[in-house]
Amino acid sequence: MSGFGLVYLFLIVAMVAADFRFATWEDLRVSLADERVRFSVWLSLITCTISAILSMWVAVPTGYVLARLGRDTIVQRFERRPFIRRVALTFRYLIDTLLDIPIVLPPLVVGISLLVLFQTPAGRWLDHSTRDFFSWLGFPGIRGITYEVPAVILGQFTVAAAFAVRTMRDTFEQIGDRPERVAFTLGASRFQAFSRVALPQAWRGGVAAFTLAWARSLGEFGPILIFAGTARMKTEVLSTTVYLNFQFGNLRGAVAASLILVTVAILVLILTRLVTLGGNLERGAVV
Amino acid sequence: MITLDRLTIHQGDFSLANISLTVPSGEYGILMGPTGCGKTTLLEAICGLRRISSGAILLDDQDVTGLAPSARQIGYVPQDVVLFPTMRVDQQIEFGLEVRKINSQTRSQRVQELADLLDIKAILRRYPHGLSGGEKQRVALARALSFRPRLLCLDEPLSALDDTTRNKLAELLRTVHQKERVTVLHITHNTAEAQELGTVHCRLENGEIVAA
């Protein structure tokens, strides 16, 4: 590890240690005794899980298609049709760039963009339809998307899915398409080759993508602040709790909430390491 | 019987033009040629894994040129075997039958039959990771034979093996060819191997097929 790497490592450890040093166990106990904080912890856990699941629904097929329709494949497929090749390559490049937008946009801009989107006629229609849907489901308290719990999930999902797509694309690229090509000769359809051969091989990448999406959702704040608001006991997640406590001058409360956030994040990271590094190594190994 | 009728393949700057070749039913065809002459490209085109520019591929007089790889009934053993790392050996062999929706009893019977033939009974429950080179080749062979293909394409199956394993596997290939009565197209650049196994010989040289 380089000297700069050691400095960076020290910075991470020092930040966490400073948090733990600043807040006492009493601060943590008081925080966790607060009904509003407990609500934000639960809402964070639930919304992050839903966002991560939704992200995987998008990331697995999208990552797979992007990996299998790489530059070389397009060049090879349209070798004798230069115009179509150019169009296909441009289209591929455009999709890649579009998928990167949520990663490079400032989080507040993502929130504002979502808010503006849901002010359009189509957005309003979706908002009303969501309200009707939740009423039908027996949750009349959820009155649409904007400034409601679905806005928290959508704000988290918009950014988290982009990271998950990148991870799944890299995973499928790394696996390569040769096992699938052999599966074709054995009689498998494209879907069978994907679901029976490629997907099981991508499980480690899948766990990594899910964790990344989950962790990213947990830390998401900008889009939630703008698009879901900071209503206590309604759309308040842990990152919002930190902000609200800080905003009202309760630095100890803010640090205590941060510590809960850090602890949850570390637990998830440890769990992921155990899942991906432990278990049956034979099954994931490349032959 | 496999017939290639004036097959032309373009791949970047490389191309094979007007390749014609016939291996009669039940024969063991050997295709020789120096490294980089396009043997693997030709084999992949036969299996449907590579686009061809013109010409036709006939299997038992049926034109399979436009068929998807899954519909050709061709067993393929690539040079690097490419076993599925997440499947046990028995699951790999069953795969070709499972996607054809063959019932489990018939599948089990076929797995046992091939395990006996290829002497891989002891490793049926193992994953590919940790198998020896010879074991991997035999598993890949069993997997390609599982659905009783009309043609078995072997891409340098003995090239990465030590002498003892190589001799054993060559003997096994001969037995498999006799017992399964399958037409074989075997690619190699080893003359001794070609003489030992082949009943029909040809050579790919400078983009042309010549009798060996």
Side-chain angles (χ1 to χ4, degrees):
Chain A
M1 187 183 280
S2 68
F4 286 119
L6 279 174
V7 171
Y8 181 57
L9 199 65
F10 176 75
L11 179 68
I12 295 169
V13 174
M15 280 194 317
V16 177
D19 282 347
F20 275 98
R21 211 177 133 76
F22 187 86
T24 60
W25 285 110
E26 182 59 19
D27 294 328
L28 261 180
R29 199 192 59 76
V30 169
S31 265
L32 285 171
D34 188 338
E35 189 191 7
R36 294 169 304 180
V37 175
R38 285 207 305 275
F39 177 89
S40 78
V41 171
W42 278 112
L43 188 63
S44 289
L45 295 177
I46 292 167
T47 54
C48 288
T49 306
I50 295 173
S51 303
I53 291 170
L54 291 175
S55 298
M56 291 307 287
W57 267 79
V58 173
V60 171
T62 311
Y64 178 74
V65 171
L66 286 174
R68 293 296 173 262
L69 282 181
R71 193 181 181 281
D72 292 346
T73 311
I74 292 170
V75 169
Q76 202 182 339
R77 184 165 290 188
F78 302 112
E79 199 173 4
R80 305 209 150 251
R81 294 174 183 171
F83 177 72
I84 297 178
R85 186 177 66 219
R86 264 201 301 277
V87 171
L89 283 172
T90 309
F91 189 64
R92 169 73 171 70
Y93 179 75
L94 194 70
I95 288 176
D96 240 4
T97 310
L98 283 173
L99 284 168
D100 275 340
I101 286 179
I103 294 174
V104 297
L105 273 186
L108 286 175
V109 177
V110 173
I112 287 172
S113 305
L114 282 170
L115 194 64
V116 171
L117 175 68
F118 278 84
Q119 298 307 310
T120 61
R124 281 189 183 151
W125 175 82
L126 196 62
D127 220 18
H128 291 145
S129 303
T130 307
R131 182 188 60 199
D132 297 343
F133 176 69
F134 278 109
S135 293
W136 178 74
L137 276 182
F139 296 101
I142 299 175
R143 294 188 295 265
I145 295 176
T146 315
Y147 298 123
E148 297 286 344
V149 173
V152 175
I153 296 168
L154 194 55
Q156 292 170 339
F157 163 79
T158 308
V159 181
F163 285 93
V165 168
R166 284 277 159 269
T167 310
M168 287 317 296
R169 188 201 63 182
D170 293 347
T171 301
F172 284 119
E173 272 178 355
Q174 209 172 6
I175 290 170
D177 67 349
R178 287 192 44 78
E180 288 157 71
R181 285 156 69 83
V182 170
F184 293 152
T185 67
L186 294 169
S189 63
R190 184 163 278 282
F191 180 73
Q192 284 168 326
F194 165 72
S195 60
R196 300 284 314 280
V197 177
L199 200 54
Q201 274 184 268
W203 76 272
R204 280 173 203 273
V207 173
F210 184 87
T211 314
L212 188 61
W214 200 93
R216 183 71 219 190
S217 300
L218 186 69
E220 208 54 73
F221 173 64
I224 295 170
L225 175 72
I226 305 279
F227 187 44
T230 53
R232 295 212 111 150
M233 302 291 285
K234 190 181 175 191
T235 57
E236 183 186 355
V237 285
L238 268 171
S239 54
T240 324
T241 306
V242 175
Y243 170 75
L244 287 176
N245 280 334
F246 182 75
Q247 189 78 352
F248 293 116
N250 180 8
L251 188 58
R252 287 200 171 274
V255 175
S258 302
L259 281 179
I260 298 169
L261 203 62
V262 169
T263 309
V264 172
I266 290 175
L267 283 176
V268 170
L269 284 176
I270 291 172
L271 196 70
T272 312
R273 290 279 188 273
L274 288 175
V275 170
T276 51
L277 293 179
N280 191 348
L281 284 172
E282 287 181 348
R283 299 191 58 201
V286 177
V287 179
Chain B
M1 181 170 74
I2 168 84
T3 304
L4 307 185
D5 183 19
R6 285 167 293 167
L7 211 62
T8 298
I9 305 162
H10 293 286
Q11 187 189 323
D13 295 335
F14 177 79
S15 66
L16 289 171
N18 290 319
I19 300 288
S20 293
L21 164 77
T22 297
V23 179
S25 282
E27 296 292 331
Y28 199 113
I30 294 277
L31 178 63
M32 292 190 73
T35 308
C37 70
K39 302 190 296 289
T40 298
T41 304
L42 193 61
L43 213 59
E44 286 186 349
I46 292 170
C47 293
L49 299 173
R50 198 165 286 282
R51 281 168 184 271
I52 64 165
S53 304
S54 63
I57 302 165
L58 306 170
L59 255 183
D60 300 330
D61 294 327
Q62 183 204 354
D63 188 347
V64 297
T65 318
L67 291 185
S70 54
R72 293 190 184 201
Q73 288 273 95
I74 297 177
Y76 175 47
V77 180
Q79 194 174 0
D80 48 352
V81 297
V82 192
L83 295 179
F84 307 138
T86 54
M87 287 187 204
R88 291 194 313 262
V89 167
D90 57 342
Q91 291 170 327
Q92 315 245 358
I93 302 170
E94 264 188 287
F95 184 82
L97 301 171
E98 213 177 324
V99 294
R100 286 176 171 77
K101 300 193 172 19
I102 308 287
N103 68 60
S104 67
Q105 199 188 346
T106 313
R107 290 202 312 255
S108 300
Q109 275 173 7
R110 184 65 177 151
V111 170
Q112 289 306 321
E113 197 179 306
L114 287 166
D116 282 335
L117 180 64
L118 293 155
D119 195 20
I120 48 174
K121 268 188 135 169
I123 57 167
L124 279 179
R125 308 289 293 175
R126 285 179 60 185
Y127 285 93
H129 180 69
L131 296 181
S132 70
E135 284 172 334
K136 283 179 187 170
Q137 281 289 0
R138 280 182 281 158
V139 174
L141 200 55
R143 184 179 63 179
L145 286 166
S146 64
F147 55 95
R148 300 185 195 280
R150 295 193 283 181
L151 173 72
L152 179 64
C153 290
L154 307 172
D155 192 354
E156 307 206 22
L158 311 178
S159 64
L161 305 173
D162 61 81
D163 284 349
T164 316
T165 316
R166 184 194 187 102
N167 292 338
K168 273 187 191 165
L169 199 62
E171 186 57 42
L172 197 59
L173 283 175
R174 208 175 6 243
T175 311
V176 165
H177 175 233
Q178 282 162 5
K179 289 203 172 168
E180 292 284 317
R181 291 177 189 159
V182 61
T183 311
V184 178
L185 183 57
H186 175 143
I187 279 179
T188 181
H189 52 245
N190 185 308
T191 315
E193 190 178 306
Q195 295 300 329
E196 192 183 344
L197 291 165
T199 57
V200 174
H201 296 85
C202 44
R203 195 172 176 81
L204 186 58
E205 251 174 34
N206 304 320
E208 280 183 10
I209 293 280
V210 291

